[in-house]
Amino acid sequence: MIRALVLGGTADASLLAAEIARAGIEAIYSYGGRTRAPTDQPLPTRIGGFGGANGLADYIRREAITHVIDATHPFAAEMSRNAVAACAKAGTPLIALERAPWTKAPGDNWIEVSNVNTAVAALPEASANVFLAIGRQHIAPFANKPQHTYTLRFVDPPEALLPFAADVIVSRGPFTLDGELQMMRTRGIALIVARNSGGDGARAKIDAARMLGLPVIMISRPQLPERLRVESVAEIMQWLGHSARLGA
Ligand code: NAP
């Protein structure tokens, strides 16, 4: 008898939840609680942190979870590290659903950096219009380069004052190439700061940057402990012992 836990919060996790529900597998979908109105899921849903790796291990035992699927965002490193530690502690099998990172195409002008602070350091000294395509919890260090005019894009309107004045776009995406080209042209964007999330939903800004000849300061993915990792929903369904009915 399977009782799976899906650590979610991504479009891929929603695809997986739909497939798990269709297959009639018992599962719980978990949101971190960062987004105010998260997408409805066809699975019983819980919201909020577990209280670290120990809290997650307790939850796994309490809820008699037999399989854990980490379908969080590739930059949700804390949750992913906790999942590895908690599953080891609880003796529960873990698999990660993680899309491949983007790779450079001809014409891309990427400055690859390892974290947000090195991204700030890589910004030019001369003022420029910069599109910061990163989560709001990571923007504070950019206050150290106040000479730039920043455009930010969030799913929800900011609740608290931002660490610096910025042009804020509120939109959930996914974003089209035409839409990104227009947004960058209208705002005179000269440079983009992005994280190497991978996948199609967030890719349009990278394609638009290439077409406009704009440099992208690309933040690499965080290092994670060794774990079983696949890129498709179908492989997760196989792991769960079912074959996916939809191609994914
Ligand atoms: P994070 O830094 O790795 O996680 C911080 C803490 O939030 C975790 O230690 C955990 O708290 C809690 N948490 C995160 N994801 C959770 C989940 N799915 N279910 C229950 N608790 C969760 O993660 P983050 O970058 O803030 O991302 C939070 C959520 O947003 C994730 O579900 C992720 O998939 C989604 N998301 C993130 C990004 C991104 O850019 N990082 C983009 C799109 C979606 P405890 O230690 O208390 O358990």
Side-chain angles (χ1 to χ4, degrees), residues 8-9 30-32 34 48-52 72-73 76-79 82 137 195:
S30 176
Y31 272 118
R34 289 231 196 270
F50 297 96
T72 57
H73 191 270
E78 198 180 339
M79 185 70 257
N82 288 349
Q137 65 268 39
R195 298 179 308 172

Side-chain angles (χ1 to χ4, degrees), residues 111-224:
I111 301 149
E112 291 179 81
V113 297
S114 57
N115 58 48
V116 171
N117 291 326
T118 46
V120 175
L123 281 176
E125 292 308 322
S127 70
N129 292 339
V130 178
F131 176 34
L132 276 191
I134 61 173
R136 78 181 63 192
Q137 65 268 39
H138 306 296
I139 62 171
F142 289 90
N144 293 326
K145 290 263 175 97
Q147 64 269 50
H148 301 304
T149 302
Y150 294 103
T151 293
L152 311 174
R153 189 163 60 195
F154 300 139
V155 175
D156 296 312
E159 266 174 353
L161 206 61
L162 296 171
F164 46 83
D167 176 11
V168 177
I169 303 169
V170 177
S171 181
R172 186 181 283 266
F175 304 98
T176 63
L177 179 59
D178 282 349
E180 296 293 52
L181 285 168
Q182 197 195 343
M183 183 277 285
M184 289 179 196
R185 284 193 182 117
T186 312
R187 290 178 164 74
I189 299 294
L191 203 142
I192 290 122
V193 179
R195 298 179 308 172
N196 196 336
S197 302
D200 296 331
R203 167 98 219 178
K205 61 179 177 278
I206 308 302
D207 295 334
R210 181 187 329 108
M211 290 173 72
L212 296 173
L214 303 180
V216 177
I217 297 178
M218 184 67 85
I219 304 172
S220 312
R221 291 184 179 187
Q223 295 288 319
L224 292 174

